[in-house]
């Protein structure tokens, strides 16, 4: 929980250290030269849950929900039946599960469960990833008209400070447009089950991470 730049307000923030970066690592390591759109399109051929394959996105340690610099990434559940399509989808789902962990902490702290979540950043350009997020987070996903979420917000605050807009609410209302792009679908119940298994992985593997 942080003191907001707007007087009298606070905000809660959950930070993953390797979200879209997990997909970038995967592409660079296992599919160099492949366009992201082509890589993700193949993942769409795999059913929700990646046929039992899970991915922990702790490639550079983690901050939320596990403040652990020694946390490590992992694929769990690999079999001969899995191929690059499954691995790719597991990465997308693993990041979504990590975001769900952060959302759950916020709700436990007293924040009302959201019906709409605004998403920004490069990962939101993928329709498949947006749908996975909607299913895992249990909320409508809306994208905004900028990929630079944090920097754009800082610019809005500067514009208010410079007197260009009377309030932050006014600046956001005039300069930020949210467009609904995905709603929870029939895969949402499947992800509830998969996320429950995912949450057990870090506690089980944390002692091993410390020995590596």
């Amino acid at each position: 929980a942080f003191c907001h730049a707007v007087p009298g307000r606070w905000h809660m923030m959950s930070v993953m250290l390797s979200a879209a970066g997990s997909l970038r690592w995967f592409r660079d390591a296992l599919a160099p030269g492949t366009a992201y759109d082509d890589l993700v399109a193949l993942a769409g051929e795999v059913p929700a849950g990646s046929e039992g394959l899970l991915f922990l996105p702790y490639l550079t340690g983690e901050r939320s929900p596990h403040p652990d610099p020694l946390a490590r990434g992992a694929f769990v559940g690999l079999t001969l039946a899995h191929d690059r399509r499954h691995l790719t989808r597991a990465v997308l789902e693993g990041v979504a599960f990590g975001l769900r962990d952060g959302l759950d902490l916020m709700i436990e702290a007293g924040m009302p469960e959201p019906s709409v979540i605004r998403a920004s950043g490069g990962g939101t350009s993928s329709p498949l990833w947006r749908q996975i997020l909607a299913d895992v987070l249990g909320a409508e996903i809306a994208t905004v008209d900028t990929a630079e979420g944090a920097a754009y917000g800082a610019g809005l605050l500067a514009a208010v400070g410079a007197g260009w807009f009377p309030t932050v609410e006014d600046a956001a209302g005039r300069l930020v447009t949210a467009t609904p792009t995905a709603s929870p679908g029939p895969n949402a119940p499947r992800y509830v089950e998969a996320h429950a298994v995912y949450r057990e992985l870090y506690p089980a593997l944390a002692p091993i991470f410390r020995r590596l």
Side-chain angles (χ1 to χ4, degrees):
F2 294 86
C3 183
H4 201 289
V6 177
R9 291 194 177 187
W10 294 74
H11 73 93
M12 286 188 285
M13 180 170 65
S14 174
V15 179
M16 291 181 65
L17 297 182
S18 297
S22 291
L23 183 63
R24 180 170 59 247
W25 161 80
F26 178 79
R27 194 279 302 267
D28 292 347
L30 299 177
T34 303
Y36 286 111
D37 288 346
D38 295 337
L39 189 64
V40 172
L42 290 174
E45 300 175 0
V46 175
S50 301
E51 296 188 309
L53 182 62
L54 293 168
F55 173 73
L56 288 183
Y58 310 142
L59 298 176
T60 52
E62 191 52 287
R63 288 179 65 182
S64 302
H66 310 294
D68 183 0
L70 299 180
R72 293 293 178 262
F75 283 104
V76 178
L78 276 168
T79 72
L80 289 174
H82 295 124
D83 56 33
R84 193 169 71 180
R85 299 172 303 159
H86 297 82
L87 293 166
T88 305
R89 186 169 188 123
V91 170
L92 302 179
E93 293 174 342
V95 171
F97 290 149
L99 293 173
R100 177 77 226 193
D101 284 344
L103 177 60
D104 286 344
L105 287 176
M106 294 180 186
I107 293 172
E108 290 171 11
M111 183 188 79
E113 189 163 355
S115 59
V116 178
I117 294 176
R118 294 185 179 185
S120 64
T124 61
S125 63
S126 164
L128 175 61
W129 210 348
R130 292 197 301 263
Q131 186 59 56
I132 290 173
L133 288 171
D135 291 336
V136 172
L137 299 178
E140 181 178 82
I141 300 298
T143 57
V144 294
D145 49 350
T146 175
E148 302 296 335
Y152 197 78
L156 291 180
L157 293 174
V160 175
W164 296 357
F165 300 95
T167 65
V168 172
E169 291 84 357
D170 180 63
R174 293 171 62 181
L175 298 179
V176 178
T177 301
T179 304
T181 56
S183 299
N187 288 328
R190 173 70 186 89
Y191 281 128
V192 172
E193 299 172 7
H195 180 235
V197 177
Y198 170 92
R199 292 191 67 173
E200 296 182 21
L201 295 180
Y202 173 78
L205 295 175
I208 296 175
F209 294 152
R210 285 159 175 72
R211 294 172 60 189
L212 294 177

